Amino acid sequence: KESLTLSLSPFNNFILHRGFTLHRGVFFPVSIGQVNISLGMQNFSFPEWDSPLAERIRLLFNRLPAPDQNLFPDPVQAAKANLRVTQQILPELLELIEENGFGSPQEEIRFFKDIKPLFSGSLIYWNRRYKLELRLPVGGKGIIRKYWKKELHRLSRFFQQHAGFCGYLRTGDTRLDDQYFLRGSRTWENNPDSSDLNPRFTTAKDRLVAELLANEWLTKFILQILEAGSQPPAALKLRWTASKASMVELVYALYAGAVYNNGLAEIKEI
């Protein structure tokens, strides 16, 4: 593992202090000095930013669903709902920037390097997670684990392909920031990393930073699934302590409410 000690950017909450290591045959960034995987998911927070726009953008950020937030028990519906919320917030961020602009190149660089990627990264994350949940194959544990491990290897290849830029961010390098994170730079015109070619809201590398964040969150999410699948199921700790009559009344209430299978479930099934 590579050990780094610089701390110059809020993006370091996600990538700084992280080297690359192998875990179950997969190559990805991992926190230094920890045995268990930790990719900064708990650091989904708005960084300190000395800007007149900071508080207004922070309010928008507070509406973003965290990478581990599930609004519904069904993972497909949860991802879909969170994706919808994120899709609504990004245009508001664009409108805020267009109305106010930036006071200096340094403020613009900070926004596109450390602030906007949190929003676009959240959109990428929930979009991909929704598609992954939607395409989850039907089958036994072996088939499902193979599905998630295949995605984990895809994420691994992405980190390897962009190892140079990861190094730039991890070391807190700023020498190319004016080319990477200012709008209208020649670097963006010659080699855009983003499918979003709106010059009013895109720089050469802000989309790539967002991709890195989204892939870190996805890596953490998938590793949690694989780890949970390798553990024996926990013993149930719930025990019915009311009367049998109360249980019967509950069953009939659920049957009368037609809450299972759109009311088609038989009472004996409940």
Side-chain angles (χ1 to χ4, degrees):
K1 299 178 186 177
E2 176 188 2
S3 179
L4 300 169
T5 56
L6 297 176
S7 180
L8 302 176
S9 165
F11 186 78
N12 297 337
N13 290 335
F14 297 90
I15 288 186
L16 195 63
H17 306 310
R18 288 160 173 78
F20 286 91
T21 188
L22 282 169
H23 180 72
R24 297 186 177 179
V26 181
F27 178 81
F28 55 88
V30 60
S31 293
I32 297 299
Q34 296 185 15
V35 176
N36 295 324
I37 305 305
S38 176
L39 299 178
M41 194 170 176
Q42 69 278 11
N43 292 324
F44 186 76
S45 59
F46 193 82
E48 293 296 327
W49 184 32
D50 185 15
S51 168
L53 301 175
E55 287 308 311
R56 296 171 67 182
I57 295 179
R58 186 191 301 274
L59 293 176
L60 290 178
F61 174 80
N62 290 340
R63 289 165 50 195
L64 285 175
D68 57 352
Q69 178 173 315
N70 293 314
L71 300 178
F72 301 94
D74 179 12
V76 175
Q77 293 302 317
K80 184 178 181 180
N82 289 335
L83 173 61
R84 193 170 296 167
V85 170
T86 309
Q87 288 173 327
Q88 295 170 352
I89 295 175
L90 206 55
E92 295 182 42
L93 181 63
L94 169 60
E95 183 179 355
L96 185 60
I97 296 302
E98 286 189 324
E99 289 178 354
N100 296 273
F102 299 105
S104 66
Q106 291 72 28
E107 185 182 12
E108 181 176 344
I109 288 172
R110 182 70 190 285
F111 172 80
F112 284 105
K113 187 176 184 180
D114 300 320
I115 308 298
K116 184 198 168 188
L118 291 171
F119 291 82
S120 47
S122 182
L123 179 62
I124 294 168
Y125 170 79
W126 286 113
N127 184 42
R128 290 182 181 167
R129 182 165 161 183
Y130 172 64
K131 291 178 179 179
L132 286 169
E133 297 283 11
L134 198 61
R135 297 168 183 168
L136 188 68
V138 177
K141 290 184 178 180
I143 294 176
I144 294 176
R145 284 183 64 84
K146 183 178 180 181
Y147 173 80
W148 289 117
K149 290 182 75 172
K150 182 178 179 180
E151 178 63 19
L152 201 59
H153 280 280
R154 187 195 68 79
L155 295 169
S156 168
R157 289 193 299 272
F158 179 87
F159 284 119
Q160 293 182 63
Q161 290 168 2
H162 298 285
F165 187 63
C166 286
Y168 179 85
L169 295 170
R170 290 204 316 274
T171 57
D173 201 340
T174 60
R175 290 173 294 175
L176 299 177
D177 278 4
D178 58 341
Q179 298 179 42
Y180 288 164
F181 302 109
L182 284 178
R183 292 167 294 179
S185 70
R186 186 170 299 177
T187 304
W188 181 85
E189 295 170 358
N190 293 338
N191 185 29
D193 282 304
S194 173
S195 57
D196 172 17
L197 299 182
N198 181 352
R200 298 172 301 164
F201 204 49
T202 306
T203 66
K205 296 293 184 182
D206 70 86
R207 169 75 179 197
L208 182 53
V209 176
E211 292 266 1
L212 289 167
L213 291 180
N215 285 346
E216 283 200 70
W217 298 331
L218 277 173
T219 299
K220 176 70 177 288
F221 168 70
I222 294 172
L223 285 172
Q224 287 177 335
I225 291 177
L226 294 175
E227 292 291 343
S230 64
Q231 301 296 324
L236 292 177
K237 297 182 179 179
L238 298 178
R239 185 169 59 90
W240 184 267
T241 55
S243 66
K244 290 183 180 180
S246 297
M247 178 181 288
V248 172
E249 290 177 3
L250 175 61
V251 170
Y252 273 98
L254 293 173
Y255 176 73
V259 298
Y260 289 113
N261 299 340
N262 297 315
L264 300 178
E266 297 292 337
I267 193 167
K268 63 181 181 179
E269 293 177 294
I270 299 175

